[in-house]
Amino acid sequence: MESLKTAWYQKEIALAAKGRGCHYITDEIVSAVSTQLAPIKIGLCNLSLKHNSASIALGESYDPSVLADMETVLSRVVPESGGKQGGEYVKNGLVGTSHTIPVTDGQLNMGKWQGIWLCEHQSKSEPKNLVITLSGQLK
């Protein structure tokens, strides 16, 4: 019986400040770990955002107006509170800061029109750190 070879890899990347709203980051993530992603036959990619004022989501990647729709809905559900901080933390709790995505044959296994979003909940944004952890059976 052949033994299975597995691998673990972890990298922390800084996502540039993007301003309030939702932004596609799929390409940035794949680019950061493409070499380590390629040899995985079957596995998982965990994404963990290390911030309380932003979140990450999986969503529509074909129609960019969906990003604006998400920001509009989040602002209706959690309106600004007269210049006080707090709303961004509630939005963070609603949307979340981590996702696990299947890896198949060296690629993230998402739907055809699915992508990864950074949702920035503060008007004054700064770079965000994202931890990418890959694990799986090698080809």
Side-chain angles (χ1 to χ4, degrees), residues 4 9 24 27 33 35 38 49 55-56 62 67 69 82 108-109 111 123 130 138:
L4 298 178
Y9 177 77
Y24 295 125
D27 291 343
V33 294
T35 302
L49 188 65
S55 51
I56 56 173
Y62 179 73
L67 297 171
D69 293 345
L108 298 179
N109 191 346
S123 297
L130 180 72
L138 299 177

Side-chain angles (χ1 to χ4, degrees), residues 15 19 21 23 49-57 74 87-98 117-122 125-129:
L15 299 168
H23 312 275
L49 188 65
K50 295 173 62 174
H51 292 274
N52 294 326
S53 62
S55 51
I56 56 173
L74 285 172
E88 63 266 23
Y89 305 116
V90 174
K91 292 174 186 177
N92 168 279
L94 290 173
V95 179
T97 58
S98 69
W117 305 358
L118 171 69
C119 301
E120 176 58 71
H121 307 306
Q122 287 185 322
S125 83
E126 54 190 48
K128 303 292 187 235
N129 292 335

Side-chain angles (χ1 to χ4, degrees), residues 51-115:
H51 292 274
N52 294 326
S53 62
S55 51
I56 56 173
L58 299 180
E60 168 75 55
S61 68
Y62 179 73
D63 180 0
S65 69
V66 175
L67 297 171
D69 293 345
M70 178 68 145
E71 174 60 24
T72 299
V73 169
L74 285 172
S75 293
R76 285 184 190 157
V77 171
V78 185
E80 292 298 317
S81 53
K84 296 179 183 176
Q85 289 188 337
E88 63 266 23
Y89 305 116
V90 174
K91 292 174 186 177
N92 168 279
L94 290 173
V95 179
T97 58
S98 69
H99 279 284
T100 300
I101 302 166
V103 174
T104 305
D105 293 325
Q107 296 184 25
L108 298 179
N109 191 346
M110 297 187 293
K112 181 176 181 179
W113 304 115
Q114 200 170 27

